[in-house]
Amino acid sequence: MTTEPHTEAQAACEELAAALKQVGIVLPSLGVDPIWLSDAWPRALVELGRCNLETAHRLIAVLKRAAER
């Protein structure tokens, strides 16, 4: 784990994108939310963004399968 919040958030985004890609899901708006930098006590935020209904349903199915394990 890195100590720089933005670097850590970017790494988390990349890891999440790779894990989602393994199950055939792409969140096109996935990224680091730049707004958190203006907070008095900044905490890195990962923006999952928007996706279409097909992607939402695929994500739901993957999460349900994982929860059943």
Side-chain angles (χ1 to χ4, degrees), residues 3-19:
T3 56
E4 175 66 34
H6 186 274
T7 302
E8 186 175 343
Q10 185 61 43
C13 285
E14 291 168 7
E15 186 175 355
L16 180 56

Side-chain angles (χ1 to χ4, degrees), residues 12-42:
C13 285
E14 291 168 7
E15 186 175 355
L16 180 56
L20 288 169
K21 186 176 182 180
Q22 287 180 330
V23 293
I25 296 173
V26 174
L27 295 178
S29 301
L30 179 65
V32 177
D33 183 352
I35 302 299
W36 68 272
L37 289 169
S38 64
D39 195 355
W41 293 289

